[in-house]
Each structure stands twice: as structure tokens, then as C-alpha cells.
Amino acid sequence: MRSIKKLHHAIDEPMNGLSTYRAFPNIYIDQIDPFLLLNHHGPQEFSQNNSGLPFGPHPHRGFETLTFILKGDVVHSDSSGGKSIITTGGIQWMTAGKGIIHSENSSDEFKRKGGVEEVLQLWINLPAKLKLTPPKYIGLQKNQIPKLKLDSGKLTVNLISGKWDNTKGEIDSLTDIFTSFIELRKNGILNISVEKERNILLYVVDGKIRVNNEIADKLILVEFNNNNEKINIEALEDSIIIFCHGRPLNEPVVSYGPFVMNTEAEIRQAMIDYQSGKFG
């Protein structure tokens, strides 16, 4: 089995009044190449007549984002024309590429009625040759995401990108990234092989699992070594995990706020392009 390097507890970092746990980067772990960042917002109860999510218009360049809407909803709008309201169980995939401005808020209905919001956002790096690719947005509702029932129905794999046996995710990743979130009922067991050259991202959203003989519970990021292909996961209680993997880019990463490039000169150019209105 692939050995575990370390278990990391997500860091409590509220954002504008929104409960947020940052799995990475933080003082304990930087990135899991090609994955740059994972924020876990909520679960948080919003009262009636609330202001919704606090993410007004802001720019990005040089990477992609994958947003998991586990509870509540997210209204997306961007400068490339992308727009949608994705509800519980859906996802949003955005390629920032050469530059995009977008906002993420809550629907008018959610603001009026209130409810529970739980959203995770993953940043996925793009290689130098694709950093200036045209921006793009795809939103998928829960019923549009392929689902695989395993272990007599104890496991549900929500497949977003990549392949699982003969099933293909709805998102065509630019960089051969496998992404999913998996729902496990207690005692459910998952055995999977991942090429040892690929880096694995496994984060426990809720519940408790045993992974390769180590116990990881809610808000734990599992950091693996790259010494084997076999992964064994057993649900010790009903659980939800984010499970992704990809080949490392092994390129320099220079970031400044919402921009992720390879050099400081490229960051400066991104700022100039944004300020001069070239992000749409």
C-alpha cells in the first residue's frame, strides 16, 4: 500500500464572517502539485434575510477552480458569459486561463429563506503552456454528475473528471486530472490503484475513515508518499471525502492573490492586464 507521509488538520481561517477551514496551503503544507489550494467553507447556518456568500467580483489567471456545493447553492457569474445557480450536490468548474472576473454568491431565495451552506473550492494549477488558455465555465447539477455505486451500495463515487473503469466524468480536464467526491456509508470499503507517479489529494469533509491503516476524521488532509499504487479506505462512520489525483507539473509557482503564474514578471503582467480591462 502507498504509505502516508502525514495527516494535516485544516486550519481555521474565517473569511468575511464565513466559517472557513483551509486544508492547504498553510504553515504545515504548501501545495500537492498540481493542486494549489483547498478551502472548506461551512457548514454554516444562515438566518433569513442574509447577505449570502461574500465573494463579489474578483479576477483570476493561470489556473482552474473546482467548487463543490455540498449544501445550499452558489450563483456564479463571470466575464466570459458563464452564469448559473448550482444547488446541493452540484459542482462548478472554471478555467481562469488568460484571465476571468467572476463572482460567487447565494441565490435570492437562499438569502430570503436562509439555510445551511457548505462549499469547498479547489484550485488546480495549469502548466506554463496552458496558463493563457481561453477562459471557460461549466456548471453541473447533482443529476448531471455520473455516479458509481460500489460495495453493495455502501459507496457512491461522484465522478467529475477522469475515468473510473468504463465511466467518464462530464468534465474534460486540460491536464488529465481525476476529481471526485465520494459518499461512504459506515463499513463501506474502497480499494483503488493510483499510479505512484500521480499525487493524491484526499480530504475528509465529514465522518471518519481508515486509510491505509491510519485513521483520519473530519477536516483531515491525508498527505501520501509516492511509493506504491494501492489505496484502501474503510468508512468507520458515514463519511464524505474529496478524492483527486494528477501528475505533478514540476514547474515554478509564483502566486499573488488571485494570480498563479511561473515568474514574477508574469504576475506583474497579470496585474497590468487586469487593471487595463483585458480580463473581459
Side-chain angles (χ1 to χ4, degrees):
M1 289 189 294
R2 186 179 293 216
S3 63
I4 292 173
K5 185 175 183 179
K6 196 167 184 180
L7 302 178
H8 302 273
H9 196 285
I11 303 299
D12 186 7
E13 291 188 357
M15 300 176 66
N16 299 319
L18 178 63
S19 170
T20 301
Y21 288 88
R22 175 160 291 185
F24 66 95
N26 55 48
I27 59 174
Y28 302 108
I29 181 170
D30 188 13
Q31 60 171 310
I32 303 175
D33 189 9
F35 306 106
L36 296 165
L37 173 150
L38 179 62
N39 277 340
H40 183 175
H41 305 295
Q44 181 169 329
E45 181 80 36
F46 285 73
S47 62
Q48 293 181 352
N49 301 314
N50 64 80
S51 299
L53 292 171
F55 305 116
H58 57 281
H60 289 298
R61 172 179 276 185
F63 61 99
E64 300 185 283
T65 65
L66 169 56
T67 304
F68 306 85
I69 298 93
L70 298 187
K71 295 176 183 175
D73 62 35
V74 177
V75 178
H76 171 99
S77 180
D78 69 58
S79 56
S80 74
K83 194 168 187 178
S84 69
I85 301 176
I86 301 297
T87 58
T88 298
I91 65 96
Q92 298 173 331
W93 187 291
M94 186 182 76
T95 302
K98 66 180 181 180
I100 198 168
I101 300 170
H102 79 135
S103 62
E104 299 152 302
N105 209 300
S106 304
S107 68
D108 290 342
E109 181 180 12
F110 185 89
K111 292 177 185 178
R112 184 175 65 255
K113 293 182 177 180
V116 177
E117 191 86 65
E118 184 172 18
V119 175
L120 290 92
Q121 187 167 91
L122 174 65
W123 290 14
I124 304 166
N125 203 5
L126 287 172
K129 65 182 181 181
L130 293 176
K131 283 196 175 292
L132 299 184
T133 197
K136 184 179 180 180
Y137 168 78
I138 299 174
L140 298 176
Q141 302 289 5
K142 179 179 180 179
N143 62 4
Q144 296 175 296
I145 298 173
K147 293 172 174 54
L148 295 90
K149 297 288 186 178
L150 306 174
D151 193 13
S152 302
K154 292 180 182 177
L155 306 177
T156 302
V157 178
N158 298 272
L159 180 59
I160 299 163
S161 68
K163 292 185 67 175
W164 190 298
D165 293 332
N166 295 321
T167 302
K168 183 177 179 297
E170 285 294 312
I171 300 295
D172 290 319
S173 164
L174 294 174
T175 53
D176 187 31
I177 296 292
F178 176 93
T179 57
S180 71
F181 67 97
I182 303 175
E183 301 163 88
L184 307 94
R185 289 168 50 194
K186 185 177 180 179
N187 299 323
I189 293 177
L190 174 64
N191 289 296
I192 186 171
S193 294
V194 177
E195 294 175 18
K196 62 183 180 181
E197 294 80 13
R198 296 175 71 91
N199 286 340
I200 293 174
L201 164 58
L202 193 165
Y203 175 73
V204 184
V205 177
D206 198 13
K208 180 184 290 187
I209 63 172
R210 180 182 289 113
V211 52
N212 289 9
N213 298 321
E214 294 207 32
I215 293 176
D217 54 11
K218 182 177 180 178
L219 304 180
I220 291 293
L221 174 74
V222 181
E223 183 183 8
F224 290 92
N225 291 306
N226 293 77
N227 57 355
N228 205 302
E229 297 184 350
K230 303 296 184 183
I231 307 294
N232 173 264
I233 299 171
E234 177 187 358
L236 302 180
E237 57 189 54
D238 290 354
S239 303
I240 299 175
I241 65 172
I242 302 296
F243 186 79
C244 310
H245 54 80
R247 294 188 183 279
L249 301 182
N250 296 318
E251 293 183 355
V253 175
V254 179
S255 62
Y256 182 82
F259 309 129
V260 181
M261 303 301 290
N262 297 102
T263 68
E264 291 185 4
E266 290 170 338
I267 291 291
R268 289 193 293 271
Q269 188 61 52
M271 296 172 67
I272 291 170
D273 289 347
Y274 169 58
Q275 292 166 356
S276 60
K278 294 182 179 179
F279 278 29

